[in-house]
Amino acid sequence: MTDPVRYEAHGEIGVIIVDNPPVNATGVAVRAGLVAAADAFAASDQKVAVLMAAGRTFIAGADIKEFGKTPLEPHLSTLIHHIEALEKPIVCVIHGTALGGGFEVALGCHYRVALKGARVGLPEVNLGLIPGAGGTQRLPRLIGMIPACEIFTSARQVGADECLKLGIVEAVVEGTPLEAGLAFARKILAEDLPVRRISAMTVAPYDPADLAALRTNVAARNTGHVCHLRAIDVAVAGADLPFFEGIKQERQGFWDLMQTPQRAAMIHAFFSERAVASLPELKGVVPRALGHIGVIGGGTMGGGIAVSCLLSGLRVTLIERNAEAAQKARDGIAGMLADSVKRGKLTPEKRDALLADALVTTDDYAALSDADLVIEAVFELMDVKKDVFTKLDAICKPGAVLASNTSYLDIDQIAAMTKRPQDVLGLHFFSPAHVMKLLEIVEAAKTAPEVLATGFALAKALKKIPVRAGVCDGFIGNRILKAYRTACDHMVLEGASPFQMDEVLEAFGFAMGPFKVTDLAGIDIGYLTRQRLAPTRDPRERFGDWGDVLYAKGRLGRKTGHGHYIYDAQSPKGRPDPELLEIIAEERARKGITPRAFSAEEIVERYMAAMINEAARVVGEGIARRPLDVDVTKLYGYGFPRFRGGPMHYADHIGLERVLATITEQAKTDDFFWQPAPLLQQLVAEGRKFADLNQG
Ligand code: 3HC
Ligand code: NAI
């Protein structure tokens, strides 16, 4: 192992280089190395120092792997005070990203320069924490209370130019970190610039009304989280205290939060969303080239997939059923790109170039003859899909990857329509496909490793989070969804109201309650599914059919302005419709059910037990490789609260015995739906957790 921190003398300038791949996190060795380097500089003849990092980025923060373990000295904040206390000036050069503790190290230096393209941020709230090494105290002193609080409560990354405007850096420069650092150090020498400690500054006066507005906004955007407001409190308190008293308060807040389940959950999410992309069996497997993507079907999903590909620099050929439908698809894509322009994500010139040069819309399948990967997103009907894959097999070049975006259908059957089942896989995007981060990559029985690897390469190109799934009805996400959605219907039949369910589950942290989701997706979908399943339905199965009444009344959800809720100008986000309760009451009466009251705890307990039980089955059957794959699927595709880490992490947190006890209790009245998953039973018997299955 090379030294993670080096000290080099360049004439009158000392250069401290942090070199701890991959992202220069400040683990204990880096911290100790920085103290030693600062001491070496202090004792040397050099008059000014440069602090920089080697590799792709400046320091990305504290070493998150150390969190939850006994902290080892020197602590980061001590080290930063040590640097700031130097009697000779030190300039920090930021390249790549200076995040969390990395940015805090930069704030401990007397001057900062950023290379073009560099970004800084305090993303600790994404880990359930607050900045813990001076960020809440130094940043307000440097740039003012309101902009500082906005930066560390939003966790956003601030680009170099904005840093210059805000006064975070003295200059934005080009060149290598070493060149930039030496140049600024020479300026310090030439102009005799002094030591300048942020800790000695005071916070500029601000309007308390602006702070109150920010607090309200932050609270509304982060329901359920505990860290954001704590960060503001600590910053505000610190502004009126001597600097080191403020630091003490910050430290206390950081350590209090370090003990919370939210911190553990969010760090689990951080590592899990990276672990999903690295499957041991794909190590060294080279994906196929991706440049030209075919998309079949330009409806809701095909259009979004095409936009996602275009925005990532891929060429797209989209096939529709006829010229008119192809034009409609093109118009839809142009509309989505126009939105990107409106939101400042794309220039009008770039949009025009994408539409003119990178997108072909046609009804001629022959245009796919040189596509590298084709994604089918036609109607959810097996016969239509089989027809499409037969055509693709005849037209696509050898080695082209053929993918289906089906939500539920059997990819093996689809692959069997081709003479190249090894090239076929599922690529299950989520709606809206150019926004949602999750991509389920479905490995069929004969999918070749490099084809699976190509699915992961596509996800990377599209900046999506890929989760490998096996073939079954609904793969990971939709299969589990079906189970907990059914549990919801049971509770409504027994006496809970859909409005209560939504309220309780949103309070638990879900982005949207299940009945609001149904209104968004369309009540027709549930109706059609009930119709499809009716002939084969087991008589023991309990289900709610009030949706059929809503369907018959044309109340299809948001798209008709009326579903479980009423959507109009008065309440664009929906208000409960009292008539729904009458419709449900009639169904209960018809089924001989006497309704009873449900507590919020009972709703959460049953909802989560149904989710965890099906998830355990999905892992037990190998549909999901590890529990963490389920967690990431639910976090990124189904609005599961990140501060609870995902259903499997949550199950470990509340205890698997308790989950199994809920299932066993429910089975007393419905042993058809409530059958405990073998894996859950096994883990409880062995005294193990889902987390034990995440290793390796
Ligand atoms: N500690 C430990 N490991 C880290 C890390 C960190 N702070 N940041 C990244 N890594 C690891 C990743 O887990 C990954 O490991 P793997 O290769 O084994 O999967 C590897 O470094 C590369 O990371 P990415 O795949 O994320 O690389 P990218 O280039 O896509 O992104 C990044 C780089 C923008 C720096 C991104 O990794 C990131 O956002 N990191 C986290 C930054 C952060 O949250 N910092 C704050 C930490 S808390 C803190 O500093 C507390 C302080 O206030 C006291
Ligand atoms: P959609 O009905 O909006 O679009 C389907 C499009 O396919 C239509 O524009 C239609 O003209 C076209 N099409 C039909 N047959 C064709 C053929 N033979 N050749 C070329 N084009 C053809 O449907 P949507 O919602 O986009 O769904 C598409 C697929 O994506 C389905 O398999 C669905 O299950 C899946 N899916 C849907 C999600 C959603 O939220 N809507 C989410 C994830 C997957």
Side-chain angles (χ1 to χ4, degrees):
M1 282 230 335
T2 54
D3 245 344
V5 181
R6 302 192 292 278
Y7 182 75
E8 293 174 358
H10 291 243
E12 292 186 296
I13 304 168
V15 179
I16 300 171
I17 303 170
V18 179
D19 189 359
N20 184 34
V23 294
N24 291 312
T26 57
V28 63
V30 169
R31 298 196 300 272
L34 276 169
V35 170
D39 288 344
F41 165 59
S44 75
D45 293 339
Q46 278 82 49
K47 299 200 169 94
V48 54
V50 171
L51 172 58
M52 54 166 276
R56 69 199 219 216
T57 179
F58 188 70
I59 301 169
D63 188 339
I64 301 171
K65 293 196 183 85
E66 290 182 355
F67 289 0
K69 299 179 186 158
T70 312
L72 297 173
E73 291 191 13
H75 301 314
L76 190 57
S77 52
T78 320
L79 148 71
I80 293 171
H81 306 322
H82 196 70
I83 291 175
E84 195 188 46
L86 285 167
E87 301 288 349
K88 298 183 275 184
I90 176 163
V91 56
C92 172
V93 186
I94 300 168
H95 78 291
T97 41
L99 299 177
F103 184 28
E104 290 171 306
V105 168
L107 290 171
C109 295
H110 306 141
Y111 296 95
R112 285 155 294 283
V113 293
L115 292 198
K116 263 199 159 57
R119 283 163 294 144
V120 307
L122 292 169
E124 285 86 347
V125 289
N126 285 344
L127 304 172
L129 292 167
I130 62 172
T136 66
Q137 305 300 308
R138 285 195 179 87
L139 196 56
R141 282 171 166 78
L142 186 64
I143 65 169
M145 186 59 76
I146 307 296
C149 287
E150 189 277 323
I151 288 173
F152 55 67
T153 52
S154 67
R156 79 182 171 93
Q157 294 185 1
V158 184
D161 292 336
E162 192 185 345
C163 282
L164 188 61
K165 265 193 220 135
L166 286 169
I168 291 174
V169 298
E170 324 332 304
V172 178
V173 295
E174 300 201 45
T176 64
L178 182 61
E179 287 162 359
L182 292 177
F184 200 89
R186 279 186 215 111
K187 179 181 158 78
I188 293 176
L189 288 171
E191 297 176 18
D192 202 16
L193 296 179
V195 160
R196 200 190 57 160
R197 300 186 181 104
I198 296 177
S199 63
M201 300 177 183
T202 49
V203 179
Y206 58 91
D207 184 345
D210 290 343
L211 185 71
L214 182 81
R215 275 188 77 93
T216 309
N217 189 0
V218 167
R221 276 190 290 118
N222 300 288
T223 333
H225 289 261
V226 290
C227 53
H228 301 75
L229 295 181
R230 183 79 184 254
I232 296 181
D233 290 344
V234 160
V236 170
D240 296 329
L241 292 171
F243 182 79
F244 285 97
E245 285 304 310
I247 287 283
K248 256 194 220 159
Q249 297 224 355
E250 180 194 76
R251 203 82 206 129
Q252 188 60 47
F254 183 78
W255 285 113
D256 287 351
L257 290 162
M258 190 63 93
Q259 315 310 321
T260 60
Q262 291 199 355
R263 190 276 304 160
M266 290 175 85
I267 287 182
H268 167 73
F270 178 87
F271 285 117
S272 297
E273 69 205 20
R274 285 163 174 77
V276 284
S278 67
L279 291 185
E281 70 268 31
L282 291 187
K283 250 206 179 104
V285 177
V286 180
R288 294 182 188 165
L290 288 173
H292 180 193
I293 307 296
V295 178
I296 322 267
T300 309
M301 293 309 291
I305 293 168
V307 168
S308 181
C309 293
L310 288 170
L311 291 176
S312 302
L314 297 164
R315 243 172 355 111
V316 174
T317 297
L318 185 142
I319 308 290
E320 257 293 349
R321 286 184 292 175
N322 51 47
E324 197 189 324
Q327 183 57 44
K328 197 173 153 210
R330 172 173 279 272
D331 294 345
I333 291 169
M336 284 185 258
L337 292 178
D339 276 351
S340 296
V341 172
K342 240 190 249 159
R343 280 184 285 113
K345 303 249 177 226
L346 190 68
T347 63
E349 296 74 33
K350 180 82 184 140
R351 182 258 326 265
D352 294 346
L354 288 178
L355 286 170
D357 307 329
L359 174 68
V360 172
T361 45
T362 171
D363 59 355
D364 181 7
Y365 274 72
L368 294 176
S369 59
D370 80 333
D372 299 311
L373 181 147
V374 181
I375 305 163
E376 165 279 306
V378 302
F379 302 133
E380 185 76 341
L381 294 167
M382 186 52 106
D383 286 347
V384 182
K385 307 251 187 219
K386 283 184 171 176
D387 182 52
V388 166
F389 275 78
T390 308
K391 283 191 185 128
L392 290 178
D393 195 27
I395 282 154
C396 291
K397 67 183 180 188
V401 172
L402 309 181
S404 173
N405 182 47
T406 178
S407 306
Y408 290 95
L409 301 176
D410 183 345
I411 311 276
D412 287 321
Q413 274 189 43
I414 293 174
M417 300 316 293
T418 71
K419 288 186 273 319
R420 38 174 131 176
Q422 73 283 358
D423 293 338
V424 178
L425 82 170
L427 288 177
H428 185 218
F429 290 78
F430 288 71
S431 177
H434 60 303
V435 176
M436 293 290 284
K437 285 280 201 189
L438 181 65
L439 179 60
E440 275 184 302
I441 300 190
V442 188
E443 180 178 12
K446 295 187 177 160
T447 306
E450 73 267 24
V451 170
L452 195 64
T454 309
F456 278 85
L458 178 73
K460 190 166 181 197
L462 302 185
K463 298 197 178 61
K464 300 223 180 272
I465 308 261
V467 174
R468 180 257 169 222
V471 174
C472 71
D473 200 74
F475 315 121
I476 299 176
N478 281 344
R479 175 168 157 185
I480 299 171
L481 166 69
K482 191 172 165 216
Y484 59 86
R485 199 55 189 73
T486 302
C488 271
D489 284 6
H490 290 173
M491 285 188 267
V492 169
L493 281 178
E494 290 171 35
S497 88
F499 313 129
Q500 184 195 7
M501 300 277 304
D502 281 353
E503 211 178 287
V504 166
L505 292 164
E506 284 172 16
F508 177 81
F510 281 95
M512 206 186 252
F515 294 96
K516 285 192 190 156
V517 172
T518 304
D519 274 4
L520 191 63
I523 283 180
D524 43 330
I525 294 181
Y527 169 78
L528 294 172
T529 309
R530 278 189 296 281
Q531 297 293 105
R532 180 165 60 86
L533 298 178
T536 53
R537 184 175 291 124
D538 191 299
R540 289 171 298 171
E541 191 178 323
R542 290 190 294 151
F543 65 100
D545 58 15
W546 63 88
D548 297 359
V549 180
L550 298 183
Y551 180 84
K553 287 174 178 272
R555 289 169 48 171
L556 303 187
R558 273 195 185 220
K559 58 188 165 193
T560 58
H562 205 165
H564 294 87
Y565 294 82
I566 299 166
Y567 305 88
D568 54 17
Q570 181 196 334
S571 52
K573 289 187 173 166
R575 66 175 183 281
D577 178 6
E579 193 197 346
L580 174 68
L581 302 181
E582 291 166 28
I583 296 171
I584 293 170
E586 281 165 26
E587 181 176 345
R588 290 188 193 123
R590 216 171 42 244
K591 292 181 170 166
I593 301 167
T594 309
R596 68 172 176 87
F598 273 76
S599 69
E601 294 71 38
E602 189 177 3
I603 289 174
V604 168
E605 186 129 335
R606 251 164 93 168
Y607 189 75
M608 289 310 303
M611 188 183 304
I612 294 160
N613 198 35
E614 192 62 21
R617 246 184 230 116
V618 159
V619 175
E621 292 169 18
I623 299 299
R625 237 341 116 64
R626 301 150 295 189
L628 67 82
D629 295 282
V630 171
D631 284 341
V632 172
T633 303
K634 289 289 147 188
L635 288 174
Y636 280 95
Y638 298 82
F640 194 96
R642 191 179 166 86
F643 64 81
R644 296 195 191 270
M648 310 309 258
H649 180 86
Y650 176 78
D652 280 348
H653 170 62
I654 61 169
L656 300 192
E657 306 80 4
R658 183 168 146 197
V659 178
L660 187 57
T662 304
I663 295 167
T664 315
E665 183 58 30
Q666 293 301 320
K668 287 182 189 159
T669 48
D670 181 356
D671 63 358
F672 175 74
F673 180 75
W674 291 100
Q675 296 173 25
L679 178 64
L680 181 62
Q681 289 175 307
Q682 184 193 334
L683 290 175
V684 169
E686 293 170 355
R688 296 166 72 209
K689 292 177 160 216
F690 285 123
D692 297 332
L693 309 179
N694 282 334
Q695 321 304 327

